[in-house]
Amino acid sequence: GITDGLTTLDPSPDYLAASHLHLLQTQFGLGREADEDYPPSITVIKRGAAPLGGGAVKFYSPIVKRSGVGSGELLPIDCCGLGKIKRVRGKVVCCKIPPSSAARAAHSAKGVMHRLLPDVWVHTDSYSSKAKAAVAGSGTKRGKDGCGPSPGMTIHLIAQSTEGYVLAAETSLDPTSSRGRVLPEDLGQKAAALLLEEIRRGGCIDTGAQSLAFILMSLGPEDVARIRVGTLSKYSVETLRLIKKMVGVEFKVTGDEESK
C-alpha cells in the first residue's frame, strides 16, 4: 500500500507512531506495563509512495479493555498543561529521489526552527527501488527493503514539551504535481510552519490526534477526563456528534481564557 505522499488525506505511519501511539501509551496507559504486555507499535517494513504504493506496514497492539486499572486497560486522563517546547525532532523520507534533496529539505526545516530553540535535529532516510544487501559476513544484519515504484518525499516533525507531550506535523510532495514544481527548501519551510501552527494553538495534542483522544475518553472508565486541545477541526466536531449519538457520552467544551 501507500506509506508516504498522501499527508493531506491520510496520516503516514511515522506520524501515527509519533503522535497516536505516544498518546495511547503515555496518557491512556495502553501497554505501559512492559512486563505484562508489549506496547503498541508501528513498523514500516517497506516504503511505498503515492500513487502506486508498494509499501508494507506492521502494526501491533495489546488487547484493549473498556475499563479498569492495569496493562491493556484505558485510564482516565487529565491533560491540561502543555508546558514549554524543549526539543524538535524530525525525519525526511524520500523514495526514488536524490538524497541531496532530502538533505536540502531537512536543512530548510532546521533553519526555521533554529530561530526559536537550539535543540533541533532532523535526519534523512533515503530509499531506492532496489533493496540494499545486508553487510557481508554480518549474519543477522539486514539491509533496507527498498521502496515502491513511485517517487515521493515526506517530512515529519515532532515537538516535545517539558511535560512529556508531543505535537506532530507532516507534509509531503504532491504526487499529482509536475516534477520540480516544489523545491525541497519550500517543503521544509512548510513542514516547520505546520509544526509552529500546532504549537501556537496551545493544545496538549496535535489536531490530527483529537478524534482518537475523544473516542478513547468516551470508552474509558466512568470518571472525569479532561484534555486541552487547540482549535477543533471539522473532523473532530463530527466525531463528537457521532460519540454522543452512538455511545451516549457528551463532552463539555469550554474556551481557554488564558490562551484566548
Side-chain angles (χ1 to χ4, degrees):
I2 297 174
T3 62
D4 299 275
L6 290 178
T7 55
T8 56
L9 300 176
D10 292 309
S12 68
D14 300 273
Y15 168 81
L16 294 176
S19 178
H20 289 51
L21 295 192
H22 182 271
L23 179 66
L24 284 171
Q25 188 174 0
T26 61
Q27 303 303 324
F28 290 96
L30 186 61
R32 179 176 295 178
E33 300 294 336
D35 295 337
E36 299 181 20
D37 206 344
Y38 294 103
S41 63
I42 294 178
T43 305
V44 179
I45 300 175
K46 183 179 179 181
R47 294 284 176 179
L52 299 180
V57 176
K58 180 181 179 181
F59 171 71
Y60 170 80
S61 174
I63 298 175
V64 181
K65 301 177 182 179
R66 181 180 175 90
S67 62
V69 178
S71 180
E73 298 169 339
L74 298 178
L75 303 177
I77 64 173
D78 189 7
C79 308
C80 295
L82 175 63
K84 301 294 184 180
I85 301 300
K86 62 179 181 179
R87 67 171 64 97
V88 173
R89 296 292 182 263
K91 178 169 62 175
V92 182
V93 178
C94 65
C95 299
K96 299 188 68 175
I97 289 180
S100 59
S101 297
R104 289 164 57 189
H107 180 76
S108 177
K110 288 189 293 184
V112 176
M113 302 306 302
H114 272 152
R115 301 176 186 175
L116 304 175
L117 72 166
D119 194 358
V120 180
W121 179 55
V122 182
H123 75 272
T124 61
D125 201 357
S126 302
Y127 295 83
S128 63
S129 56
K130 295 182 180 180
K132 290 185 178 180
V135 179
S138 61
T140 58
K141 290 187 178 181
R142 181 168 173 265
K144 289 184 178 181
D145 287 335
C147 64
S150 298
M153 183 163 62
T154 305
I155 304 180
H156 317 272
L157 295 179
I158 306 166
Q160 302 174 1
S161 76
T162 54
E163 298 298 325
Y165 298 110
V166 167
L167 302 176
E170 64 178 359
T171 186
S172 60
L173 290 176
D174 186 0
T176 61
S177 63
S178 58
R179 187 174 182 178
R181 184 175 180 180
V182 179
L183 296 176
E185 289 80 4
D186 296 337
L187 198 67
Q189 293 178 2
K190 181 180 178 181
L194 291 174
L195 182 63
L196 291 174
E197 175 61 21
E198 292 291 346
I199 297 173
R200 184 197 66 81
R201 293 176 180 179
C204 293
I205 57 175
D206 53 75
T207 306
Q210 290 177 358
S211 58
L212 175 65
F214 297 155
I215 293 173
L216 295 178
M217 290 169 67
S218 66
L219 297 177
E222 294 183 1
D223 199 351
V224 177
R226 302 188 304 166
I227 189 169
R228 179 178 178 178
V229 299
T231 305
L232 289 174
S233 64
K234 294 182 180 179
Y235 189 88
S236 299
V237 172
E238 188 62 29
T239 299
L240 293 174
R241 293 172 179 169
L242 291 175
I243 290 174
K244 181 179 179 181
K245 182 178 180 181
M246 303 299 294
V247 188
V249 176
E250 186 173 354
F251 286 75
K252 181 180 180 181
V253 182
T254 58
D256 189 350
E257 297 296 333
E258 180 181 351
S259 63
K260 302 298 181 181

